[in-house]
Amino acid sequence: MITIGLTGGIGSGKSVVASLLELYGMAVFISDIESKRLVATSPLIRERLTALLGSSIFDANGLNSRRMASLIFNNTKLLEQVNAIIHPEVARHFKMWAERQTVSFVVFESAILFESNFNHLTDICLMVYAPRELRIKRVMERDRITEAEVLHRMQHQISDEEKRIRADYVIHNDGIHALIPQVERWYRYQ
């Protein structure tokens, strides 16, 4: 089994490429969805986050994500501590998930593949690239947030230039290059 790391900046179109890879019969693990699920269900994560951030971090509805965001996004050290609690559990969960798959390729999709060292779980890294201005526009429309909020989120990701250097293959989702032929071309050579 070959493990593909799929990354790209926020708004680059990773989800679209992940969907295309599924059409080729690959099993796709969306790390953002899985990490949210783990935060909601893992007693270990809940215990450690409560110890770090206080009992008000969880309420009757689960994680108080607004409270957590207000605490961590202006505090790099606290963000690193939260990530040190969540990321190892996501990695462990991915490994168990991958072992259950019966396909030739599994995909680990993550905007922070390199930042979180999830790339060490993969054999090949695909990066989805889109120009910064286009990414900002997409996220503003998708999440109905301001440009300042998008830029704030982007601060926590390494640059596209760094991702391009570290990736094995780059797929352009810039509105100029067609996605399907790029994915097909990459897949044919695997």
Side-chain angles (χ1 to χ4, degrees):
M1 177 183 310
I2 296 173
T3 303
I4 313 296
L6 177 62
T7 194
I10 185 171
S12 63
K14 292 178 303 299
S15 298
V16 174
V17 173
S19 295
L20 292 172
L21 296 176
E22 282 182 313
L23 292 174
Y24 282 96
M26 299 181 197
V28 178
F29 181 93
I30 308 293
S31 66
D32 191 45
I33 292 171
E34 293 301 323
S35 66
K36 287 175 183 168
R37 190 183 66 71
L38 284 170
V39 168
T41 61
S42 169
L44 177 66
I45 291 175
R46 184 180 189 115
E47 177 186 316
R48 290 181 177 171
L49 286 178
T50 300
L52 179 65
L53 303 172
S55 60
S56 65
I57 201 65
F58 287 93
D59 56 29
N61 298 318
L63 178 70
N64 184 336
S65 54
R66 285 186 183 213
R67 170 125 175 87
M68 187 160 91
S70 71
L71 293 171
I72 65 174
F73 284 118
N74 293 318
N75 185 330
T76 305
K77 184 176 180 182
L78 200 55
L79 174 62
E80 289 171 0
Q81 290 173 308
V82 167
N83 288 342
I85 292 169
I86 297 171
H87 291 170
E89 287 301 299
V90 172
R92 189 176 68 77
H93 182 71
F94 169 74
K95 288 176 191 175
M96 292 187 319
W97 173 87
E99 287 173 4
R100 294 190 309 268
Q101 303 309 306
T102 58
V103 294
S104 299
F105 293 91
V106 295
V107 179
F108 188 102
E109 183 272 342
S110 176
I112 56 170
L113 189 77
F114 297 116
E115 298 89 331
S116 59
N117 290 317
F118 289 145
N119 60 302
H120 295 296
L121 302 171
T122 67
D123 301 308
I124 299 167
C125 179
L126 297 178
M127 185 238 182
V128 182
Y129 169 80
R132 180 180 169 96
E133 300 76 29
L134 181 57
R135 291 172 44 216
I136 291 168
K137 180 181 176 197
R138 287 175 180 166
V139 177
M140 287 174 63
E141 290 172 3
R142 179 191 73 196
D143 296 350
R144 300 190 197 295
I145 60 176
T146 67
E147 182 176 351
E149 290 171 303
V150 177
L151 294 172
H152 186 71
R153 290 181 186 182
M154 287 180 161
Q155 285 179 320
H156 299 288
Q157 297 179 358
I158 62 174
S159 70
D160 280 352
E161 292 73 28
E162 178 68 21
K163 285 180 183 175
R164 287 173 96 149
I165 291 168
R166 296 176 72 178
D168 298 303
Y169 192 85
V170 177
I171 294 172
H172 295 267
N173 187 19
D174 53 11
I176 298 168
H177 300 87
L179 276 178
I180 293 172
Q182 292 179 78
V183 173
E184 188 174 304
R185 189 169 35 254
W186 171 81
Y187 181 70
R188 265 186 301 182
Y189 293 106
Q190 296 313 305

